[in-house]
Amino acid sequence: MRVFAGLRAARGRVFRSLSERNYRRFFAGHSCSVVGTWMQRIGQDWLVLELTGSAFALGVSMVCQFLPVLVGGVWGGVVVDRVDTRRLLMVTQAAQAVLAAALAAFSLTGTATLPIVYGLAAGLGIVTVFDNPARHTFVAELVGEADIVNAQALNSLVNNAGRLAGPALAGALIVLVGVGVTFVINAVSFLAVLVALWLMDVGTLRRRPPVPRAPGQARAGLRYVWRHPELRLAIVLVAVVSVFGQNFRVVFPILASEVFHGDARVYGWLTAALGLGAVAGGMAAAAATTATPRRLLLACAAFGAVNLAVAGAPALGVALAAVVLLGVTNMVVNTLARALMQLRTAPELRGRVMAINGLVFLGGTPVGGPLMGLLCEWWGARAGLLVSGAACLAGAVAVVPVQRLARSGPAL
């Protein structure tokens, strides 16, 4: 009986944010949309490979999508702090639906070219500048501060459940009917989020007072992050993981096709294994009640070690098992970093701080994507994974002094 009582208590901790009606609606809408999002990611990657056969071109497509975040990410956070977050999200979600529909039309009519794919990827990147900090900041409006860690973990859990289902479904559909259908499904899936946002009980949202327009607000956000040791530690580790460790969309297609001699289905299996691990990691993160620098540092070190294990996998089955662990550790790193930055940030700065997190998290890809693509072309996917693992381990070691400073310094 004690075992069952403990399991019920653990389940209550994991899903406690769902007691909030508005969060339940957002959770349901996001759950539908994220499957389509991951289907499009697989479809876009495979479309670029079909058009070019080049890992470098695949890296450039990622640059087009994530470079806008690197260039304008902080200013996206300034906008989030100034406006109604819910209304902003309705605009960004609708824009993403339009871009997915356009890519579907070009693909299904056989008129898709590399410049068109690059252009639509850049358009998606511009929308992401505003959508990413708005989504993460909106969490604090949906739930109380005590449940921010849980809600962030559940959001990441949904995203990675989509990573589990979406790629596997996309891989099968690409083989059976072609890549265009993945973009159609994604375009339709955004309707679920738009309906959820429309049905929100606006009166119960924990809205932040809008920040008046003033000069230097972007710089103020950057200074705020750098002057607080815990925030600085989190952003440095996110940068290392983003640039060196999260280039799965570059490495996995090469791992699937050249190392294990597979097709789109094998790529889908690898990405689905990553999602399966992330779901398991999300369940563990959702049960936590707080986030600390020490936990984040250990998670980053574990992520680096698992990258090395994937690099040395002798067979596909072993690689899939190691990729599951890669998903677990990657999920924990990202969830702890976002939660730590939300909890240690004043409400009026959350938009900018989460934009900085998103800038580093997504904006590191334009740097790491092409480099990893070239590395994989020259020496293979295993070499790319070795570099990823070594860099993340080195990053974890390098921030140990900052972690000690954060632990001994005053509470934020």
Side-chain angles (χ1 to χ4, degrees):
M1 294 298 293
R2 289 182 179 178
V3 173
F4 289 119
L7 290 174
R8 284 194 296 270
R11 184 178 61 184
R13 291 195 302 271
V14 169
F15 297 105
R16 60 186 182 273
S17 293
L18 294 177
S19 62
E20 292 278 355
R21 185 178 181 184
N22 280 338
Y23 183 77
R24 283 200 306 273
R25 289 174 173 171
F26 184 77
F27 183 87
H30 187 49
S31 298
C32 296
S33 175
V34 76
V35 175
T37 297
W38 277 103
M39 290 183 68
Q40 171 154 331
R41 289 181 181 180
I42 298 299
Q44 180 178 301
D45 294 346
W46 206 257
L47 178 60
V48 171
L49 284 177
E50 285 182 344
L51 292 171
T52 67
S54 169
F56 180 71
L58 187 59
V60 173
S61 72
M62 296 176 67
V63 170
C64 293
Q65 185 167 335
F66 297 123
L67 186 60
V69 177
L70 184 61
V71 173
V74 180
W75 286 272
V78 172
V79 172
V80 171
D81 282 334
R82 290 176 179 175
V83 303
D84 185 301
T85 314
R86 171 177 161 271
R87 291 181 179 177
L88 178 60
L89 280 172
M90 294 180 76
V91 172
T92 59
Q93 294 292 304
Q96 289 178 80
V98 171
L99 290 168
L103 188 55
F106 284 115
S107 179
L108 292 171
T109 58
T111 58
T113 63
L114 195 60
I116 287 174
V117 176
Y118 285 171
L120 292 174
L124 182 58
I126 293 170
V127 175
T128 304
V129 168
F130 306 98
D131 182 76
N132 189 65
R135 277 188 296 108
H136 292 304
T137 303
F138 195 49
V139 168
E141 298 186 24
L142 294 170
V143 301
E145 187 167 311
D147 289 330
I148 285 178
V149 176
N150 177 255
Q152 286 284 2
L154 290 180
N155 280 2
S156 298
L157 180 63
V158 166
N159 184 60
N160 288 283
R163 178 185 285 177
L164 175 62
L169 182 58
L173 288 175
I174 290 169
V175 171
L176 293 174
V177 296
V179 71
V181 69
T182 62
F183 310 133
V184 173
I185 293 173
N186 186 41
V188 174
S189 72
F190 284 106
L191 293 174
V193 183
L194 289 169
V195 170
L197 291 168
W198 181 264
L199 294 176
M200 289 279 172
D201 182 357
V202 179
T204 61
L205 291 174
R206 300 162 177 84
R207 289 180 167 179
R208 300 163 294 115
V211 176
R213 184 184 298 269
Q217 289 177 325
R219 292 192 300 273
L222 291 167
R223 285 195 300 268
Y224 185 85
V225 169
W226 195 250
R227 288 174 179 175
H228 292 76
E230 291 182 320
L231 301 182
R232 188 165 70 246
L233 177 146
I235 210 66
V236 168
L237 289 182
V238 170
V240 171
V241 171
S242 176
V243 172
F244 296 102
Q246 292 188 159
N247 296 291
F248 309 122
R249 293 168 63 186
V250 174
V251 177
F252 281 6
I254 309 304
L255 191 68
S257 61
E258 296 185 4
V259 176
F260 298 117
H261 310 292
D263 56 16
R265 282 172 291 192
V266 177
Y267 176 34
W269 295 342
L270 287 167
T271 311
L274 190 73
L276 177 62
V279 169
M283 297 291 286
T289 57
T290 189
T292 66
R294 182 175 182 274
R295 291 180 182 179
L296 177 57
L297 189 153
L298 292 174
C300 182
F303 176 69
V306 177
N307 265 283
L308 299 180
V310 178
L316 178 59
V318 178
L320 289 171
V323 168
V324 171
L325 294 177
L326 192 67
V328 172
T329 53
N330 184 233
M331 171 69 167
V332 173
V333 168
N334 294 334
T335 300
L336 287 178
R338 281 194 293 268
L340 183 65
M341 296 187 77
Q342 284 247 27
L343 288 170
R344 300 299 191 269
T345 300
E348 65 273 14
L349 281 152
R350 276 185 180 146
R352 279 164 282 179
V353 169
M354 297 314 296
I356 293 167
N357 175 271
L359 183 156
V360 175
F361 178 75
L362 298 176
T365 303
V367 178
L371 290 176
M372 198 59 62
L374 285 174
L375 185 62
C376 289
E377 283 195 355
W378 292 340
W379 294 303
R382 294 189 189 276
L385 289 164
L386 285 171
V387 170
S388 298
C392 293
L393 285 170
V397 172
V399 299
V400 168
V402 182
Q403 189 267 335
R404 290 173 177 168
L405 176 62
R407 185 175 55 189
S408 61
L412 298 179

